[in-house]
Each structure stands twice: as C-alpha cells, then as structure tokens.
Amino acid sequence: MPELFNAFNAAEYLLDRRVTAGDGDRVAVHHPGGTLTYAELAAEVRRVAAGMAAIGVRPEERVLLCMVDDVELFTGILAAMYLGAIAVPSSTMLTGPELGTLVRDSRARVLLGSHQFTEVVHTAAAGAPDLRHVVLTGADGPDSRVLGRGVTGLTWRQLLAAGADSPVTTPYRTWAESPALWLYTSGTTGTPKGAMHRHHDIRHVAETYGQQVLGLRPDDVCLSVAKLFFAYGIGNSMFFPLSVGASAVLEPSRPNPARYAELTRAHGVTLFFAVPSFWGPLLAAGADTVPPDAFATVRNGVSAGETLPARMFHGVRERFGFEVLDGIGSTEALHIFISNIPGKVVPGSSGYPVPGYRVQLRHPDGTVIETAGEPGMLYISGDSICTGYWCRTDVNRAVFHGEWMRTGDQYVRNDDDSYTCLGRADDVLKVGGIWVSPSEVESRLLEHPDLAEAVVIGVPDADGLDKPIAYVVPRPGAVVDPDEVVAFCRAGLAAFKRPRGVVTLAELPKTATGKIQRYRLRALAGS
Ligand code: 3SK
C-alpha cells in the first residue's frame, strides 16, 4: 500500500503506544498541580477529545489554542490530533487583534484560551466567521455578551462534561500524511504564515534530533524555557520526552533564572532547553539566585533561536558543568536540523547536519557551493519540512523548491564540516568589499564585560556604503563608552570588522518569539 495510506496518528504514537509498551505508570508530565502518568495523560487526552467531538470538532478542522504551558494546553493539543483535527497552538504574547488574525486565517472552529487571556480571546473571537466555540479555563468562562452570534462560550469543565456520555476510545485513523499541527510564524518582517505539519513530521523530529542527537532515554526529565506554542518548545516538552517514555516539566510562568533553577533541582531535570537570551541572564545571576549546584542533574543544555555566543557556552560549562548544544531549527522544519553533538561541540558554530536532514549552501545563482569557507544561502531537505504555508502561494513558491527549502540564513561550512551562521541572508554586510558577519562582531561585543546584549546592522554612510553600527544594551549599572567598545572590538577582530559607531539602548526591539527585529533598528538608523 502506498505511503499515503499508512495509518499513523502522532497522538497515539506519543500516548497509547507508550501505555501498551508498559510505560503506563511512568510519569509523563510534572505540572504545577502535580504529576500525570502516561496512563492518566492518555485518559485525560481522551476526555478532552470526547468534549471536542461533542461540540462538533471534525477531522481536519482547526482548533486554536492560546494557553499557558499547563495540562489543558498539553492535553488540548494531543486531543485535537487524536481526533484527526489540527492543533494550532498560538503565541500567548499576541494582542487581541493579532490573535484574531490567526483565528480568521486558520478558519478555526474552536478557540481554547487560558483565563489569563480572557480579554485577548474575547477580542480575537469577534468577527471570526468560522468560529463556533470559545472555551476558557477558570471558573467564569467567556462572556456570552461579547461573543459573536452563533458562537458558544464554555468553561473547560463544561467542555469535559459535554463529552462525558460519548467517550472517545480510539484515535481517528489519520495517515502519516494527514495534517496534525499548524504553527504560525511571522519571521522578522510581519504577516503571520501558518506552517502546516503532518503527523509524520512529529515522529521524524523525535526519532532524528530527539533520539539520535540528544539520545533521549526513558529516565530523562526535560525542561524547556521555550513554551509549547513554539516549534522549539513543543518538541522539547512534548514530542521528545513522550516518544521514549521520559517526562516533561511544564511551567506556566514567564522564564526567569531563579524559577527555572528551582524547577531543575526539584524535578532532577536532565535536559535543559533554552535560548541565548536566557543563558545570558542565567550567567549574570548571582549564586544567591542560582546556587552553584542548581543544575547538577543536567546532562546537556540545548540552545536554539539565535547563535549561542561562545562565551556563553564556556560560561555555562565552567559554572554549571554541562555542555550546551547549540543548533539551528525552524518552525518550517519543526525542529533542529543542524546541531552540535554531545562531546563534539564547536563553540560559536551550529554544529553538524542532524541525521535525517541534508544541507546545501548555494550561490545567489543557485549553484551549489562545494568548498569549505565560502559563504552561501542555507538550503535544507528533510522529512519534517512542512507541506507549505496555509494559503500563501507566493511565499510557498519562493521558499520551497522540490525537496529543498530555502532557509534565508547565510552559512559557511568550516574545515571540520561544522557549519557557522553568518546571520540572515540579508543581514550579512559587505564592508570595503569584504563580507562581515554581524554575528561574529556581536559575539565579540558580548565578550565585553559591560554589555548585556548587542546587535550589529549595516547603516549606509554618506556614499551609500554599508558600515557596521552596533546597538548595545549595557549590563545593569554599567556605563558604555563607545570609543572604548570600538577599541575592544579592534583588539579581538580584524580591523575592518569593527563597528563604526556604537548606540546605547535600554532594550532591543524583539518579536514575540524573542528574535531581534533588525528592520526596526534599520528604521531607527534611518536606513
Ligand atoms: O529558531 C530555531 O533555531 C528553532 C529551533 C527549533 C525549532 C524551531 C525553531 C524556530
């Protein structure tokens, strides 16, 4: 039978298969209210699925979730997939109108929200023609006076009660090819695009990066600073641990070093997933906030989102005793496709292609670069790449080329076959005819003891020639002397790479996912 008709349901793979494999009594999830074993989690997912089915959710319909990391979001995502519907977890940092755009674009039938986001959810629900039900956690539920006509409001408890008389006992017979999960990405420029993932993609990331790079095993305990609504977070906290019978720690609050150190110690976390903008404050925190042994159980850290500066890799290893594996992934690829390997880290690089993925660097004319040291556009191929963006033909044609996907990142292959990020394709600068990587200059700036964050962009001079300008955020209490910072760069980098100006800011403009919005800095610079 052709692959198209291979029955496969990712929620069944992550849950029922584990229970059948004898993991029913193992802890699947630590959450603020306690723990859930695999058997309890599977039962809870079926309860939520029954509620969704009772209110009319059909296979392939979208269920949008704007929720904090807790049991409701975890079970809501799995329940939608169990039913053959499509889970669409959305950022919890959106405004009401921004969330409304996703509700309309996805044509979601059901919107599930945490009570903390009641106002945002109310605003988003208004004027969404395909929406039929809004469900909120907490005691009050949605205010029916503000929901549109034909939209019913329910509490989470009412959702569960709705399905009580018609239990769901088996997963919908989805195929590996069936849609399972949409993740919206806005990139650094604006309009959100829904990257569509199949049930198969979830198994692929779990069995490649999760099991072959991280070596996930049943005794692992995973804690992720990136929340479940990110591709990075859902892999870290759901796909990887559940695929092997390990456990995940869910934490609803915004990440801060003290809380995450406490959680790590309390649950004996073995894999700690974060982003550079967390590793920096973690290293800056004093021993009173983050005790030296707080991360004693961690066997590896993982970093993604942006290049991990080498000084952070060394800082974490020296202070906490574990290696952070930096890698690059994308929402479109669902998870990390180039990564450092335990015991074989090249600090400052993204590492090596993950098994199950192929990597090419290409010249602007599309020809493939074979030589190490020559920068080029990164293309990737692998079986977790999304089937495309929902209803975005023009972008799809620009980004997806047969099996290959243009990532938009400029990379170089090093002599040892590791790959180093040079920045976004359109961020790499040519200064005096020579390529300058903003991330290389940024890494140097971040070695400066007074700087907490730094970004370098090209700002045209009077002749229209790009010059690197650094935008920096000082560490608390520090005063930045621009000339001294330039001299510091000169001392550690080829002179042509030094910033020609240093601008101090209280904070850098960032997207909801924490990526720096260089275009806003360019606007600020008037370029
Ligand atoms: O930003 C990344 O590197 C990343 C990693 C894993 C999954 C998703 C993303 C965007």
Side-chain angles (χ1 to χ4, degrees):
M1 194 182 284
E3 166 70 7
L4 180 63
F5 300 108
N6 269 353
F8 177 73
N9 183 290
E12 179 185 34
Y13 165 81
L14 297 173
L15 293 171
D16 297 352
R17 189 185 62 118
R18 296 259 50 99
V19 176
T20 317
D23 288 333
D25 292 337
R26 297 181 64 82
V27 172
V29 178
H30 300 272
H31 59 94
T35 56
L36 284 177
T37 63
Y38 274 87
E40 288 165 343
L41 176 64
E44 194 57 23
V45 167
R46 284 196 211 98
R47 271 206 324 147
V48 179
M52 287 182 184
I55 62 172
V57 173
R58 304 279 311 132
E60 284 149 35
E61 282 180 347
R62 274 72 71 193
V63 175
L64 204 145
L65 308 98
C66 179
M67 307 182 90
V68 295
D69 277 26
D70 209 331
V71 172
E72 291 86 353
L73 176 58
F74 207 79
T75 54
I77 293 170
L78 287 163
M81 298 195 306
Y82 202 75
L83 277 185
I86 303 173
V88 190
S90 94
S91 167
T92 55
M93 296 181 232
L94 301 181
T95 63
E98 285 169 336
L99 182 63
T101 303
L102 304 196
V103 178
R104 289 192 304 277
D105 185 82
S106 64
R107 296 183 177 276
R109 182 176 180 95
V110 180
L111 171 58
L112 306 176
S114 298
H115 65 85
Q116 293 92 325
F117 311 125
T118 298
E119 253 186 76
V120 169
V121 165
H122 278 156
T123 308
D130 300 289
L131 194 64
R132 291 289 169 272
H133 301 280
V134 175
V135 183
L136 282 177
T137 63
D140 297 337
D143 183 342
S144 53
R145 289 165 306 178
V146 300
L147 297 179
R149 275 190 50 215
V151 181
T152 313
L154 297 167
T155 62
W156 190 263
R157 197 184 282 264
Q158 288 169 329
L159 174 74
L160 296 181
D165 294 334
S166 42
V168 167
T169 51
T170 50
Y172 184 73
R173 301 314 291 167
T174 47
W175 304 320
E177 289 289 328
S178 300
L181 175 74
W182 289 5
L183 293 168
Y184 274 87
T185 170
S186 41
T188 44
T189 47
T191 336
K193 309 180 286 282
M196 303 183 286
H197 283 286
R198 306 164 297 167
H199 284 257
H200 169 83
D201 303 357
I202 292 166
R203 177 174 53 187
H204 188 79
V205 296
E207 294 183 358
T208 57
Y209 177 74
Q211 290 171 30
Q212 297 182 54
V213 175
L214 298 181
L216 252 292
R217 22 181 228 239
D219 60 348
D220 273 319
V221 181
C222 301
L223 173 61
S224 173
V225 161
K227 301 294 182 187
L228 284 163
F229 65 79
F230 293 111
Y232 182 42
I234 198 169
N236 305 340
S237 298
M238 183 184 285
F239 306 153
F240 301 161
L242 298 194
S243 74
V244 298
S247 42
V249 180
L250 298 183
E251 170 58 27
S253 71
R254 297 286 290 266
N256 78 76
R259 177 73 186 131
Y260 275 69
E262 195 182 301
L263 286 168
T264 301
R265 194 146 55 172
H267 297 293
V269 167
T270 58
L271 288 167
F272 187 81
F273 302 83
V275 292
S277 58
F278 183 89
W279 295 116
L282 179 68
L283 287 170
D288 47 337
T289 318
V290 178
D293 63 347
F295 291 90
T297 53
V298 174
R299 66 176 173 89
N300 268 115
V302 175
S303 191
E306 293 195 274
T307 299
L308 180 76
R311 85 162 165 94
M312 292 188 190
F313 170 83
H314 292 298
V316 172
R317 194 171 56 178
E318 271 150 39
R319 180 156 167 199
F320 300 113
F322 61 87
E323 284 186 328
V324 180
L325 309 174
D326 191 15
I328 175 185
S330 70
T331 304
E332 293 81 352
L334 193 52
H335 217 277
I336 290 174
F337 47 80
I338 299 181
S339 173
N340 278 284
I341 300 170
K344 197 182 166 195
V345 172
V346 183
S349 86
S350 302
Y352 308 90
V354 167
Y357 296 86
R358 292 199 295 146
V359 165
Q360 282 186 350
L361 299 183
R362 297 190 193 172
H363 289 119
D365 67 4
T367 52
V368 177
I369 295 169
E370 306 288 355
T371 332
E374 230 187 296
M377 169 66 68
L378 179 69
Y379 281 72
I380 59 155
S381 146
D383 221 4
S384 64
I385 294 177
C386 63
T387 55
Y389 302 116
W390 169 246
C391 287
R392 299 296 291 275
T393 306
D394 289 350
V395 197
N396 284 334
R397 289 187 177 148
V399 172
F400 304 103
H401 306 261
E403 70 175 285
W404 293 96
M405 176 188 147
R406 181 187 191 276
T407 63
D409 293 303
Q410 200 79 5
Y411 262 76
V412 66
R413 180 165 56 85
N414 304 311
D415 289 334
D416 61 2
D417 284 339
S418 64
Y419 285 79
T420 296
C421 181
L422 302 175
R424 290 292 297 173
D426 43 10
D427 291 333
V428 181
L429 309 175
K430 213 167 203 187
V431 182
I434 310 173
W435 287 112
V436 173
S437 153
S439 53
E440 190 186 357
V441 186
E442 287 157 15
S443 296
R444 174 65 185 160
L445 286 161
L446 288 173
E447 286 166 14
H448 193 290
D450 288 339
L451 302 183
E453 292 184 275
V455 170
V456 173
I457 60 163
V459 178
D461 65 10
D463 294 314
L465 301 172
D466 268 354
K467 292 286 174 277
I469 303 295
Y471 286 81
V472 300
V473 178
R475 284 184 185 279
V479 177
V480 170
D481 171 357
D483 293 338
E484 190 277 326
V485 169
V486 173
F488 177 82
C489 288
R490 260 193 117 115
L493 291 172
F496 70 87
K497 296 180 183 170
R498 77 191 182 285
R500 307 307 196 268
V502 176
V503 180
T504 303
L505 297 176
E507 58 182 328
L508 296 173
K510 290 184 182 156
T511 63
T513 60
K515 291 207 174 168
I516 292 159
Q517 294 170 308
R518 289 168 191 271
Y519 72 97
R520 287 181 59 193
L521 289 175
R522 286 191 197 102
L524 195 69
S527 59

